[in-house]
Amino acid sequence: MEIGVIFAGFGGQGILLAGKVLARAGMDQGFEVTWLPSYGPEMRGGTANCTVVIADEPVGSPIVDSPQILVAMNGPSFERFAPKVAPKGTIVANSSLISQGASRGDVRTLFIPMNEIAQDLGEPRCANMVALGATVKALGLLPLAAVIAAMEEELGARGREKLLAVNREALLRGYSLA
Amino acid sequence: MSTVEAKAPAGFAPVYTRPKSLSAARFTYCPGCHHGIITRLLAEAIDELGIVERTVGIAPVGCAVFLYEFFRCDFVQAAHGRACAVATGIKRANPDLIVFSYQGDGDLAAIGTAETVHAANRGENITVIFVNNQIYGMTGGEMAPTTLPGMRTVTTPEGRDVRTTGYPLRMSEMLAQLEGPAYITRQAVFDVRHVQMARKAIIKAFQNQIEGKGFSLVEIVAACPTNLRLSPPEAGRWVAEQALKYFPLGDLKVRE
Amino acid sequence: MRVLMRGNEAMAEGAIRAGCRCYFCYPITPQGELVEYMARHLPRHGGVFLQAESEVAAINMVYGAAAAGVRTMTSSSSPGISLKMEGISYLAGARLPAVIVNVMRAGPGLGNIAPAQGDYFQATKGGGHGDYRLIVLAPSTVQEAAELVMLAFDLSDRYRVPAMILADGMLGQMMEPVELPEPIPPEKIPPRPWAVSGAKGRPPNVISSFDLDPYRFREILRALWDTYREIEEKEVRWEEYATEDAELVLVAYGTMGRICRTVVRRARKEGLRVGLFRPISLWPFPSEPLRKLAERVPVLLTVELSAGQMWEDVRLAVEGRAKTPFYGELGGVVPTPDEVLREVKKHVHS
């Protein structure tokens, strides 16, 4: 078993963090994982993406030809990565920024208005956790509680209780919508 | 390396002896070269302060490349210009050591300018002896960053033209502008009075390090009779009359 | 306990656990996290962290700290390593143990910051001037990155030969679970009677790479090369994966090595008998095991993030016993497993 997940979006959308939380949760559940960021100037604004691989044996390639899951947080990411998704794979698309309808027939596409949900929760920056919640459901491999715990560990010292609470809520909302 | 044995004949008392921190190795400097005086002053300072057992010297690339042969203390041979960086590494690794570098003008003021400026600026607690003889002696008399305007060298056969090669670099004045250094001074050794002053400056530069005051540099305006094509007395006079016009002596920075 | 770490962080932590107490650096991407980690953690272990004015200064500070008898390290990426080459040659000549980490990026020149393996020649064939070698170790996982940094310190001490970790931007940036090795206790670090520590009760120690007498210098270098021969005998490291029945074996190191592991799995699923030979020590290069492999495997396909550098060592080892095709990418482009698999299929049939 080896599952590739690509998270992609604008810099500042919390793409790298969402991937890290998933990787950490995978590790905590005893899986082998890798997390590979796109790095460089694009880290400061522009596009950002990262690849997470979860496997039950040591991971070979941390780069993925065709991910089972694509999390597309904006239009350009959707256009760039959607054609690469494995047949029968899943696209978790941010319908706040991606127009619905234009997707492939051989994959399952979940359109979720992540920005609106995050606004609803009073914390626009937690759209990434909405996306991650939906991803965890689509993945069907990790218990949500493990992902919540990993999120809390990642946010760690910089996470105040209020921030942790809203991110927990965001994960739950995303999870319930997938 | 040839050695020298100083032995007073029966009935004579030696009044001028080899400093204890010098080995028996014969200096490799040319006759009349000021390096010989400066190296001896350095040894006298180390003796006077009683620090030979915890001193580490950094030998440069240049005429003093064999410095480690002359001393009875630990030594590290550095790459050209890097002595201040090497000294930084040693001193940071073992702050109990007394660390000095001994560098010429090519080493310290051309290829090693960055290492020198930044060690000074960090206020590294080291002692730097900077021998400014306005020439690349070892490689055969090429222009140095400190070569005087109009001065003939093998690479400025018509004399140094400041329009194409710039002006002599006054390192001590530059370094004295920085907050980091504790002590920057310029001395000379062309006569007895100046030798005594230089000796005191070198001792002070080591004393500063012992007291943890920080970066101390003693520049010594020196003569290279061989490349000046002058006799040793003439070369000394040349320093006094020509070089000091461009490199005035005295303390440039003293932080008490 | 497994922790999730970046390769850069794991190398820094490995160094601290190996007893590195002086670290000198100059910032460059993509090894920034290594610098940051050292800045945060090394002082807490009583170590010295110093950001130098240049890579040249940093390596010469390493030279000084190594001379003073401390376990010391510097890290950089390709263009910065070029600047360090002068100091590395001096370390080798003066027989000072030290560890240099190169998190490679694409060159020549300023190039870019994407992962590449174009510094293989520089690392294994000299790079600096003169007759010397470095011990060169190439990790392919974050776990191995931590372990090989620690091994590099041990080997460097044992032989008094500087050691280089040849990683790349992808390994430096990626995160993976790591089981951190136990720290090396200070008493296990070999004593350094040759270090400059003050000539008290002993003759002066001199650290130098200088001898004007060619005949004497020849003897010094002969002794150095005796050491290199000993390292070649004892310190060759490599990994083989699914080579027993292979008709084609991929030869790849570092990041490319782990990508090729995935290629082997995919090829096997399709019924192709493909294996992997992954050199871990690039110098000494595992020539002998590769030669043995070449006697029973008809095709050894070298894959690198370069125009073919390790490939030369592969061909020298194999000496015509097998076919030795090459596939490489340039400029920081990393081939995906499928792209490598397509290349494999040009040489092997199901």
Side-chain angles (χ1 to χ4, degrees):
Chain A
M1 185 275 291
E2 189 166 285
I3 295 166
V5 183
I6 290 179
F7 294 83
F10 292 127
Q13 281 184 310
I15 297 297
L16 301 184
L17 178 66
K20 262 190 218 178
V21 171
L22 183 66
R24 184 177 289 283
M27 177 182 78
D28 292 345
Q29 290 296 298
F31 291 103
E32 299 296 337
V33 297
T34 57
W35 172 89
L36 178 70
S38 60
Y39 62 86
E42 65 219 59
M43 278 171 71
R44 317 271 184 262
T47 63
N49 68 76
C50 69
T51 304
V52 175
V53 178
I54 305 176
D56 54 9
E57 59 182 336
V59 179
S61 175
I63 52 173
V64 165
D65 288 285
S66 24
Q68 275 79 2
I69 298 181
L70 165 67
V71 182
M73 297 279 286
N74 67 0
S77 302
F78 185 86
E79 281 156 31
R80 180 174 166 196
F81 291 106
K84 297 187 175 184
V85 176
K88 296 181 188 163
T90 304
I91 299 175
V92 179
N94 181 9
S95 57
S96 307
L97 296 172
I98 302 164
S99 54
Q100 298 199 24
S103 194
R104 285 164 49 183
D106 60 342
V107 299
R108 177 173 166 237
T109 306
L110 300 166
F111 285 103
I112 297 174
M114 300 170 189
N115 292 21
E116 279 84 354
I117 294 170
Q119 285 290 355
D120 257 15
L121 294 170
E123 177 48 88
R125 287 177 302 170
C126 74
N128 61 339
M129 290 300 133
V130 177
L132 181 59
T135 305
V136 172
K137 180 74 176 292
L139 194 59
L141 186 71
L142 306 170
L144 186 62
V147 179
I148 289 171
M151 177 273 292
E152 289 175 352
E153 204 178 333
E154 270 301 325
L155 290 179
R158 58 196 161 113
R160 295 177 301 275
E161 186 42 46
K162 201 177 150 201
L163 188 70
L164 295 181
V166 76
N167 276 292
R168 271 196 297 270
E169 187 56 31
L171 280 167
L172 283 167
R173 289 282 291 273
Y175 192 83
S176 65
L177 285 168
Chain B
M1 198 63 46
S2 66
T3 59
V4 282
E5 282 295 331
K7 221 183 215 172
F12 288 81
V15 292
Y16 184 76
T17 54
R18 173 169 293 264
K20 284 199 192 70
S21 55
L22 282 185
S23 72
R26 192 183 291 276
F27 287 178
T28 47
Y29 308 125
C30 303
C33 171
H34 285 185
H35 268 300
I37 302 169
I38 299 161
T39 300
R40 185 187 162 95
L41 291 181
L42 189 50
E44 287 178 1
I46 291 170
D47 279 5
E48 181 158 331
L49 295 166
I51 52 174
V52 70
E53 289 185 334
R54 58 182 183 120
T55 293
V56 175
I58 320 288
V61 170
C63 291
V65 68
F66 285 114
L67 207 63
Y68 58 86
E69 299 272 5
F70 310 150
F71 280 85
R72 291 187 200 276
C73 66
D74 284 0
F75 248 93
V76 177
Q77 174 65 52
H80 195 25
R82 317 298 175 217
C84 281
V86 174
T88 298
I90 297 170
K91 187 74 182 184
R92 296 283 185 125
N94 186 350
D96 294 336
L97 296 173
I98 301 297
V99 182
F100 75 88
S101 74
Y102 183 107
Q103 302 174 256
D105 39 48
D107 198 84
L108 182 137
I111 194 166
T113 313
E115 285 79 2
T116 308
V117 169
H118 286 275
N121 193 47
R122 288 190 302 266
E124 294 292 341
N125 191 26
I126 58 172
T127 301
V128 177
I129 309 299
F130 167 35
V131 180
N132 169 7
N133 63 5
Q134 306 102 53
I135 200 108
Y136 281 79
M138 189 181 69
T139 45
E142 297 86 352
M143 182 188 74
T146 46
T147 292
L148 301 184
M151 186 173 155
R152 284 173 198 269
T153 70
V154 297
T155 51
T156 55
E158 305 301 323
R160 181 174 189 170
D161 182 350
V162 293
R163 291 171 306 175
T164 54
T165 62
Y167 289 84
L169 206 56
R170 294 190 181 100
M171 275 306 273
S172 290
E173 280 82 348
M174 283 170 59
L175 296 174
Q177 304 306 309
L178 304 174
E179 295 295 328
Y183 180 47
I184 306 284
T185 186
R186 183 181 286 123
Q187 304 290 331
V189 291
F190 57 82
D191 64 17
V192 174
R193 189 171 70 89
H194 285 95
V195 167
Q196 291 308 325
M197 287 165 67
R199 185 173 182 274
K200 278 185 196 150
I202 292 171
I203 290 172
K204 183 177 171 68
F206 276 102
Q207 192 67 46
N208 282 349
Q209 184 177 167
I210 292 166
E211 292 167 13
K213 283 189 178 163
F215 189 88
S216 298
L217 178 141
V218 181
E219 174 179 349
I220 296 168
V221 186
C224 174
T226 301
N227 283 300
L228 284 171
R229 313 261 191 282
L230 296 174
S231 71
E234 287 168 340
R237 277 196 293 280
W238 190 86
V239 168
E241 289 161 16
Q242 303 297 326
L244 295 195
K245 278 190 215 158
Y246 223 93
F247 299 108
L249 303 182
D251 290 346
L252 290 144
K253 180 167 188 194
V254 182
R255 192 173 64 207
E256 288 307 332
Chain C
M1 191 192 78
R2 296 199 307 171
V3 288
L4 194 61
M5 282 185 120
R6 285 190 195 244
N8 283 334
E9 295 169 333
M11 288 189 277
E13 182 60 34
I16 293 171
R17 285 172 184 247
C20 172
R21 288 298 174 269
C22 281
Y23 170 81
F24 305 98
C25 64
Y26 186 82
I28 186 169
T29 307
Q31 57 90 60
E33 297 80 9
L34 205 168
V35 174
E36 291 167 30
Y37 193 96
M38 285 303 226
R40 277 201 311 276
H41 295 271
L42 190 54
R44 285 187 215 159
H45 294 266
V48 174
F49 170 90
L50 183 57
Q51 181 175 329
E53 62 270 24
S54 68
E55 283 94 348
V56 176
I59 191 71
N60 280 285
M61 289 171 186
V62 165
Y63 181 85
V70 172
R71 279 197 164 179
T72 178
M73 182 171 99
T74 186
S75 64
S76 190
S77 178
S78 308
I81 296 293
S82 292
L83 282 167
K84 289 186 196 292
M85 277 298 155
E86 173 197 62
I88 291 171
S89 169
Y90 276 72
L91 285 166
R95 303 223 43 178
L96 289 176
V99 174
I100 303 109
V101 174
N102 181 1
V103 182
M104 286 186 284
R105 55 189 255 185
L110 193 51
N112 62 41
I113 57 176
Q117 297 179 323
D119 303 349
Y120 179 91
F121 284 153
Q122 186 195 49
T124 62
K125 312 287 181 193
H129 62 283
D131 255 324
Y132 78 94
R133 290 285 196 229
L134 297 177
I135 296 167
V136 183
L137 305 174
S140 79
T141 65
V142 176
Q143 178 74 39
E144 203 177 30
E147 289 169 0
L148 289 186
V149 166
M150 296 181 76
L151 177 67
F153 275 101
D154 283 344
L155 295 180
S156 184
D157 270 7
R158 190 175 310 155
Y159 297 103
R160 290 186 63 185
V161 168
M164 179 177 276
I165 298 294
L166 201 61
D168 63 71
M170 186 175 286
L171 185 65
Q173 293 294 320
M174 66 180 283
M175 291 180 105
E176 207 168 12
V178 186
E179 188 83 54
L180 285 166
E182 283 301 305
I184 296 170
E187 64 272 16
K188 288 278 171 63
I189 294 172
R192 289 151 151 78
W194 42 262
V196 290
S197 55
K200 190 173 185 180
R202 60 157 171 79
N205 282 340
V206 174
I207 301 293
S208 173
S209 57
F210 179 58
D211 198 315
L212 274 184
D213 182 319
Y215 292 93
R216 229 170 25 218
F217 195 50
R218 179 177 69 179
E219 293 315 304
I220 292 170
L221 292 189
R222 278 179 172 167
L224 182 60
W225 279 85
D226 285 347
T227 304
Y228 293 158
R229 295 282 102 85
E230 189 187 344
I231 295 171
E232 283 178 324
E233 269 170 41
K234 294 181 183 166
E235 307 299 346
V236 173
R237 287 169 168 81
W238 77 97
E239 184 199 21
E240 290 185 36
Y241 176 61
T243 56
E244 302 76 23
D245 63 340
E247 290 177 359
L248 179 147
V249 166
L250 294 156
V251 186
Y253 71 95
T255 281
M256 206 56 241
R258 70 179 298 156
I259 292 172
C260 284
R261 183 181 290 273
T262 296
V263 177
V264 169
R265 285 181 195 146
R266 283 192 198 162
R268 292 267 165 185
K269 261 186 206 155
E270 295 184 25
L272 303 173
R273 301 218 305 256
V274 175
L276 169 66
F277 184 94
R278 181 173 70 85
I280 295 170
S281 59
L282 300 182
W283 193 88
F285 189 73
S287 301
E288 200 51 44
L290 199 56
R291 188 167 14 250
K292 280 186 190 141
L293 202 61
E295 276 162 11
R296 58 183 170 87
V297 178
V299 185
L300 299 175
L301 173 61
T302 305
V303 187
E304 289 180 75
L305 303 176
S306 82
Q309 298 195 11
M310 180 181 71
W311 187 34
E312 292 193 0
D313 283 336
V314 172
R315 285 180 292 168
L316 280 171
V318 168
E319 287 182 315
R321 287 174 178 82
K323 283 187 190 161
T324 51
F326 175 76
Y327 172 57
E329 278 294 358
L330 297 172
V333 174
V334 182
T336 67
D338 282 351
E339 284 165 344
V340 181
L341 189 56
R342 274 200 288 280
E343 198 64 25
V344 165
K345 286 176 181 169
K346 291 182 189 169
H347 303 283
V348 70
H349 308 282
S350 47

